[in-house]
Amino acid sequence: MSTYTTDRASPFTRAVISSMRKLYPEALADKSWDNTGLLLEAPFDPIRRQMNSVLLTIDLTKAVADEAIQRKDCVVVAYHPIIFRGLKSLTLSDYQQQSLLRLALEGISVYSPHTAVDAAPGGLADWLADIVTGHLPDPEPATHTANQKEAEETIPEETNGNEETIQEEVDGNEGSGVQTPTEQPTEGKKKPQRPRPIMRRTYSKPTYPTHQPVDVSETDLKTSSVDHTRSVISPVTGVEGFEGAGMGRLITFSEPQPLTHLVERIAHGVGSPKGFPLAIPQGKQVEDIQIRSVGVSAGSGHSVLKGVKADLLFTGELSHHEALAATEKGQCVITLFHSNSERGFLSSVLKDKLTKTLKEEWERIRKEVAEEGNLTEDWEDAVKDEDVLVECSQQDRDPYGVVILESSKQEGKPMR
C-alpha cells in the first residue's frame, strides 16, 4: 500500500516550492499587507500527471491559466498574489476564483513570491538598479525630444499594411480638430461652397514590451557598469544569509548622468517599449537635465520612495498627485505601467536562477522520496522523471498597451 494519497502534492511541486523559498525566503516579504507563499496546493493525480515544468508570470490571468493547462505545467509561479484577502467562497462566477478552481482540477499549484523578490539582494530592485547604472556602446545614445514641428514632420503618411490600425475621422478648421459650424448666408447673397477639412488619423494597435531577456552582447546594455554607490531604502533584517535585503534602492552616480541616457538605458533594459511616462519640472527641457541620484522601486513605488531625496524616481507607477508633488520639488519621474517594471526580471534573471536551484532540489527530493520506499508504480514513475523545465508565460502582459499615431492626413470636402 502506498504511503502517499491524493492529499499530497506531487514531489516536483515540493521541489519548486523549496527552490523558491531558498532563493526568496518568505520572511523577506512585507507581511503587513502582502500574501506571499503557496496559494494553491493541488493534489497529485497520477492519472493526469503534469510535466515537470514551471510557468513564470507576473499576473495569473485567465489567459495564463489556459496556457498553463495547455502546457500541462506542474506549478505556476505568479509574482503577484492572485489571493490577497480571505475568501468566504470559491465559485466559478468570480473570474480569479474560476482560474484557481480550473488549475486545481488539472493538478497545477500556484506559488507567489511578490515582495520577497523585491527585497532580496540580486532581486527585482537590484535588477532595475542594474539597468539604470548600465551602459550602452559608445557613443551612448541619448533620447532626442522633438519639437512640435519636427513631430508633425516625422508622422508617416502611409502605415504598414501588415499593421493593425485604429482609424479616426475628425472634422476641423485647418486641421485643428475643432468642428467649424456652417455659416449662414447673408441676405440677398448666396454663400459660395468652400472645402471643410477632415482629419484622417491612423493609430497602431496597442504595443507592449518584448518578452526577451536583456542581452549583454556587444550591441546591448551592459548592466551595472557605470560607477556608482547603491544603498537599500527600507532595510529588511533578521533573515540569515540575506544581509543587505530590503525594499527599494537609492543610487548615487560618481558623475552626473544625462537624463536622456537614462531614458535609453531603461528602454533597452525593460524590453524596448514604444513609450512610457516621463515627468519633469515645468520650465526644464529633457536634454538639459543631469541626474546625480535615482530612487528605484518596482510596481507601485510611492510607499517606498516617499521622502527619498533623489533627482529621479524610477518605478512602475505613481498616482497623478504623487508625480505632481515630485516634479514640484524639482524631481523627475519615470514610470512603466506597473508590471512592465517587473516582467523583464522573469526572463532576465528568475528563469535561469530557478532552473539551476530547481535541478539541485529535484535531485535531492527524488532521492528522498525513493528512499522512503513502498511506492506505487505511479509514484515511482514520477520520481524517475529527471526533467526540469522553467519557462516564461507568452500570454502575460500589462493591461495597458501604448497606441501610437502613425499617420495624420488632412482631406477637404465641400460644405453643404
Side-chain angles (χ1 to χ4, degrees):
M1 183 69 180
S2 171
T3 58
Y4 292 93
T5 63
T6 54
D7 64 354
R8 298 286 299 273
S10 74
F12 186 77
T13 299
R14 289 167 50 194
V16 174
I17 296 168
S18 175
S19 299
M20 287 301 298
R21 287 171 173 164
K22 277 190 170 184
L23 292 170
Y24 309 105
E26 292 164 26
L28 295 176
D30 187 350
K31 287 293 188 178
S32 66
W33 62 271
D34 201 6
N35 187 34
T36 55
L38 181 61
L39 303 188
L40 176 66
E41 186 176 23
F44 176 70
D45 184 350
I47 299 176
R48 294 190 295 180
R49 184 165 70 85
Q50 305 304 108
M51 305 289 289
N52 285 357
S53 59
V54 182
L55 188 65
L56 305 181
T57 185
I58 294 297
D59 294 302
L60 179 48
T61 60
K62 180 181 181 298
V64 173
D66 290 343
E67 182 182 12
I69 291 170
Q70 183 177 14
R71 287 168 42 89
K72 296 182 67 68
D73 291 306
C74 184
V75 180
V76 174
V77 173
Y79 170 78
H80 286 146
I82 192 170
I83 302 173
F84 258 114
R85 299 172 182 86
L87 300 176
K88 293 187 177 181
S89 63
L90 282 170
T91 67
L92 296 174
S93 61
D94 182 286
Y95 78 96
Q96 289 184 318
Q97 295 173 15
Q98 181 186 109
S99 292
L100 288 171
L101 290 168
R102 292 175 60 229
L103 291 171
L105 182 64
E106 297 291 335
I108 302 173
S109 299
V110 177
Y111 185 89
S112 174
H114 204 198
T115 52
V117 175
D118 295 355
L124 188 45
D126 277 318
W127 176 71
L128 292 173
D130 289 345
I131 290 172
V132 172
T133 58
H135 192 277
L136 291 161
D138 289 324
E140 186 166 12
T143 298
H144 169 63
T145 305
N147 58 37
Q148 184 62 34
K149 183 177 180 182
E150 291 174 321
E152 291 170 355
E153 290 174 350
T154 56
I155 295 174
E157 287 297 319
E158 300 295 334
T159 60
N160 185 339
N162 297 323
E163 187 91 15
E164 180 182 334
T165 59
I166 304 168
Q167 294 191 348
E168 169 190 64
E169 290 189 1
V170 182
D171 290 333
N173 183 19
E174 297 181 358
S176 65
V178 180
Q179 185 172 353
T180 305
T182 304
E183 297 182 21
Q184 298 298 321
T186 57
E187 188 175 348
K189 285 187 177 181
K190 186 175 181 181
K191 186 78 173 179
Q193 291 184 342
R194 62 184 177 84
R196 181 178 63 184
I198 181 170
M199 296 298 297
R200 295 188 184 277
R201 294 174 179 156
T202 302
Y203 292 84
S204 71
K205 66 179 180 180
T207 63
Y208 306 89
T210 66
H211 289 278
Q212 299 303 314
V214 176
D215 185 2
V216 293
S217 69
E218 292 183 0
T219 59
D220 284 325
L221 183 71
K222 292 180 172 58
T223 57
S224 193
S225 57
V226 175
D227 193 30
H228 69 282
T229 59
R230 186 182 305 187
S231 60
V232 175
I233 294 174
S234 180
V236 174
T237 59
V239 183
E240 186 178 353
F242 287 83
E243 293 74 18
M247 306 299 174
R249 299 293 184 268
L250 179 60
I251 298 159
T252 304
F253 293 108
S254 299
E255 297 291 338
Q257 302 290 302
L259 177 58
T260 54
H261 286 188
L262 300 187
V263 168
E264 284 292 330
R265 295 171 193 171
I266 290 168
H268 279 71
V270 301
S272 299
K274 295 295 185 181
F276 49 79
L278 167 62
I280 63 174
Q282 291 192 21
K284 292 191 175 183
Q285 300 297 321
V286 174
E287 290 84 357
D288 299 331
I289 298 176
Q290 297 287 316
I291 301 296
R292 171 76 75 170
S293 56
V294 185
V296 172
S297 178
S300 299
H302 177 66
S303 62
V304 175
L305 298 176
K306 62 183 178 182
V308 171
K309 295 180 179 179
D311 298 332
L312 171 66
L313 304 180
F314 173 36
T315 184
E317 64 179 340
L318 288 182
S319 73
H320 167 84
H321 295 290
E322 292 159 358
L324 185 62
T327 57
E328 288 292 287
K329 292 188 293 184
Q331 295 176 303
C332 300
V333 178
I334 291 178
T335 62
L336 298 174
F337 299 115
H338 196 109
S339 67
N340 290 341
S341 66
E342 304 156 340
R343 187 163 288 103
F345 177 82
L346 303 183
S347 55
S348 298
V349 179
L350 181 55
K351 179 180 175 180
D352 289 343
K353 289 184 72 171
L354 179 57
T355 299
K356 181 177 183 297
T357 303
L358 181 54
K359 285 180 178 179
E360 297 169 355
E361 280 299 291
W362 181 225
E363 182 64 23
R364 180 184 66 81
I365 287 178
R366 286 176 60 231
K367 292 179 180 178
E368 181 180 288
V369 173
E371 288 172 358
E372 293 178 8
N374 197 26
L375 302 178
T376 65
E377 182 179 345
D378 296 320
W379 278 90
E380 287 181 352
D381 289 342
V383 296
K384 285 178 181 178
D385 189 348
E386 299 178 0
D387 291 341
V388 169
L389 181 65
V390 179
E391 295 289 351
C392 296
S393 169
Q394 296 302 303
Q395 299 300 316
D396 179 40
R397 62 169 175 79
D398 194 84
Y400 288 107
V402 177
V403 294
I404 301 166
L405 180 62
E406 294 195 329
S407 69
S408 183
K409 189 175 182 181
Q410 179 174 308
E411 298 177 3
K413 67 178 182 179
M415 296 179 66
R416 300 187 183 278

